[in-house]
Amino acid sequence: MFIRKKNFRLMGLAITFFMISGIYTSSPCIATELNSSTSNVKVGETQVKDFQRDIPSLAATYKDYFTIGTAVLPNQLDSSNIQSEFIKYQYNEIVAGNCMKMDATEPTENNFKFDDADKLLAYTQANNMKLRGHNLIWHSQVPAWFFQDKNDASKPASRDLLLSRMKNHIQNVAGRYAGKIDSWDVVNEVISDSNGLRDDSGNSKYKSIIGDVDGDGFDSDYIELAFKYAREADPKAKLIINDYGMEGSTRKRDDMYNLIKRLLEKGVPIDGVGLQMHVSMYSPSAQQVKDCIEKFATLKSIKPNFDIQVTEADMSIYNGNEPTKEVTNDIYLQQATQYKKLFEVFKEEAVKKNISTVMMWGEADCDTWLDDFPVKDRKDAPLLFDRNLQAKPAYWAIVDPSKVKGVFRQSVNTPKTTIAIGAAVDAKWSTLSSFDADNYVVGKNGAIASIKTAYDNDNLYVLADVKDSTVGDKDGIDIFVDKTGSKVEKYSATRTTNTDTIKTIDKADGYQVQFKIPFSGFTPVVGAKLAFDIKINDSVGNGEIASSAVWNDFSNKQDADSSKYGYLVLDADNKILETKYGIPTIDGNIDSVWDLASSVETNVLVEGKAGAKATVKTLWADSYLYVLCQVKDSVLDKTSKDDYQQDSVEAFLDENNSRGETYDADDVQYRVNYENKQSFNGKCDKAKFKSATKTTADGYVVEMAIPLKTPGVANKVMGFDAQVNDGTAGKRTGVLSWCDKTGKGYATMAKIGNIKLLALAGK
Ligand code: 9MR
């Protein structure tokens, strides 16, 4: 949404547009297009006089699953504005992008302004749509007076004053629309980005001013009371606790889950959680989103109708802070693929009655807050329609994938290592990352698989771990490979195939197939890209194929040609750091025992410029993994308040090497800055963890003793990675790791490396 200031700035341009097109007046979208062309208005940007009225609406497409809506600005609903028709054509719910927030509804104490909000309500009533309320209590877009003493603005409001203001605000706003709002975001963004409830360091004053009113030992009372006031003001609306970042971060998800669980058990009237879903096309993965929804769905055991809502969905085309890029068709296709995966999860979860609504944060790309966030003036394209209100590939991918022109070709790394094919699955597979064949091209649910690949000079190895609970004659897998771009090869197996090159093993929830595909004549080199796809077929009863799920070509034309396959990118040897037995003293001095240890370098650039870099060594003994990082970093900086933006090293450990998309109970991340400040993520054993640091002539040294949850044994292989953060003047300017190039180790161990514990003679 554009902030109101921006709309004023654009008014002149909007009038210009009216004169040119002669059809529609002010629209933030089209005005923005004009703004981007200078004095010479380009024809292509101004010829759009209409949206597509002959394509399916999102609302109709998803009517059996969830309502689908968008955030709006009041002027978009003016009948003179094309958006007013477009929005009601495509969507069946709206939410105020800004005009129902506190700075809009109560700019000065007890002076309420409802014109804009009333306009939204009238629009929904006239068009048979739902209205979401966003939001009642938030630390942002709240006027300063709210937290100030009545007589002296330099003093904070007292607890009682702040509570009475909250109550008054909620009574007036939620009370005015009682019975007319489907769901209210009662509190917004109350979980901190680092730990627990947001407080003053996260710019929220509610917790410190109100604190623990009922003396139960928790200072979440402002949240509890906000819900109580909201229920009194509007007994019918679903009362939602809304936040961002829980889709990928299990830390934030767990904090929210624990808060809601405790409050539900206490009888606080929370009806659901809002997942904002401000995501990027790079992450989180569909599996992480699904895990997140299913975690919150377990709260139904306390409150059977507990609802999960997707409240502010958009999908940036950028990975973090990367600079402006041209929006190519390939980017559109990559985004479409990810949108398709997410909406498949949403549908699946709607069938389980876990989610009830999906709200987009903007009706089209011309109307997105991401044009200015997190990088000012970096134009983004995160929504389903383009800047001229035309359907993007992302729209078609979630409405009718057969109409997407082209398919994004995903790439996965395939490490070099020889694998044995046999009656049991080779243990080496556990050291490799997986990807999913879970795009249904036939049917809606049935069998999907997690895939791993490896190669050596002679063969390509594929392991498919298939989840399929219905046994049928035609259950099986097709693999498609085009090594040179000129010939499609197809390899098929059923769930009972057993040959020298294909072995199948039955499992309780499906089956596993190991393939050894000879290169015959093809010489693999590091960096080569093999076109590859895989299809998982499920048959039930009569032997017909009831569902097929693929990895890449969702147009399902694998047999015809390889132009829509993904790529296996042949990589260097699989990374496994051999770790000897030895016990160093953790004091920042490099004992001679470290001379025994093998070392690796953090050479993989994750983010920014290659700055600080480390040589990493590991040792183990019984219940500890020891890590030594010798960091080269010429200027040491810890000025940022965020631990991860300070000069620091991180160690990631996945003890059972399950490489899950979401942190499991054994996954830990330990971070230590150059002055030995520790920070944690995952189920870390803070009491047993030890670390020490020392600065050196050209950087610093970090020693860590990471407690193992299961004592180590010789030959055990665990997931492990090390990362160095380079802070410069308060910002993280470079990140290097040993293995994982995604920078997402804080959320998933899927792409980290490995360590193998070696036995010392006699041990
Ligand atoms: O879209 C809103 C934008 O116009 C405002 O400038 C911004 C100010 O904080 O708020 C935007 O909406 C936010 C929403 O209310 C809560 N979740 C994050 C959204 C994007 O910032």
Side-chain angles (χ1 to χ4, degrees), residues 343-358:
F343 270 73
E344 250 145 40
V345 169
F346 298 159
K347 266 162 82 172
E348 234 177 277
E349 295 300 324
V351 170
K352 295 184 198 161
K353 298 271 174 280
N354 286 344
I355 70 166
S356 64
T357 189
V358 176

Side-chain angles (χ1 to χ4, degrees), residues 387-438:
R387 288 177 183 268
N388 296 321
L389 309 182
Q390 306 300 296
K392 289 166 60 181
Y395 160 91
W396 286 114
I398 68 164
V399 169
D400 182 355
S402 70
K403 299 232 163 67
V404 177
K405 292 197 185 73
V407 169
F408 174 64
R409 304 186 71 169
Q410 306 171 83
S411 290
V412 293
N413 274 1
T414 298
K416 189 167 188 188
T417 185
T418 299
I419 303 265
I421 301 291
V425 166
D426 191 332
K428 268 194 199 161
W429 283 118
S430 68
T431 64
L432 306 179
S433 307
S434 64
F435 56 97
D436 293 326
D438 60 354

Side-chain angles (χ1 to χ4, degrees), residues 1-3 73 96-98 101 134-135 138 140-141 188-189 242 244 276 278 312 361 369 373:
M1 298 300 98
F2 296 117
I3 45 177
L73 298 169
N98 285 308
K101 294 172 182 172
H134 176 80
N135 52 56
W138 191 22
S140 184
Q141 289 181 279
N188 195 32
E189 302 175 1
N242 190 43
Y244 63 88
Q276 292 188 358
H278 294 295
E312 305 180 16
W361 205 243
W369 68 295
F373 185 87

